[in-house]
Amino acid sequence: MIGSCKCLDDFFVATATDPRISITHIGVFAALFRFWQMHECINPMSAYSYEIMALAKISAANTYHKCVRDLSSYGYIIYQPSFKKNQASKIFFRIS
């Protein structure tokens, strides 16, 4: 659990000075983090967009996908979309 706290701390330290990060990005990251904790911090985790959207209180799939792609391209997570409705995407947390 200590490693997971460091992961969250590192995220907030990094995003404090990153102008690309919005409140929506933070909400999606927090939802991903909570989902990860609920599933025993397995890295990578498998998740469907609707599961994370519910935790993040996001109703628009486009918003969710944009935020997850952004978080991945900015280096906060690694996102491997499945592109299949019956297969979960893979999400890796960068843990130091």
Side-chain angles (χ1 to χ4, degrees):
M1 200 62 139
I2 291 172
S4 67
C5 291
K6 176 138 176 47
C7 174
L8 190 58
D9 287 343
D10 291 348
F11 173 76
F12 281 108
V13 168
T15 59
T17 57
D18 189 342
R20 304 169 296 182
I21 298 296
S22 71
I23 189 67
T24 309
H25 290 98
I26 293 169
V28 169
F29 188 88
L32 288 167
F33 187 80
R34 179 64 184 130
F35 188 85
W36 180 59
Q37 286 185 319
M38 290 166 45
H39 293 89
E40 301 177 8
C41 300
I42 295 170
N43 211 17
M45 68 175 174
S46 296
Y48 291 97
S49 59
Y50 66 85
E51 294 172 307
I52 306 305
M53 288 171 60
L55 285 172
K57 307 283 188 195
I58 294 175
S59 57
N62 287 343
T63 300
Y64 166 76
H65 289 292
K66 180 190 181 316
C67 285
V68 172
R69 285 192 309 267
D70 287 350
L71 289 168
S72 185
S73 70
Y74 302 160
Y76 295 105
I77 61 171
I78 299 170
Y79 173 58
Q80 294 177 345
S82 70
F83 299 108
K84 298 177 184 174
K85 289 189 184 258
N86 63 345
Q87 183 179 7
S89 296
K90 300 274 188 227
I91 299 166
F92 299 77
F93 278 94
R94 296 181 175 272
I95 303 168
S96 47

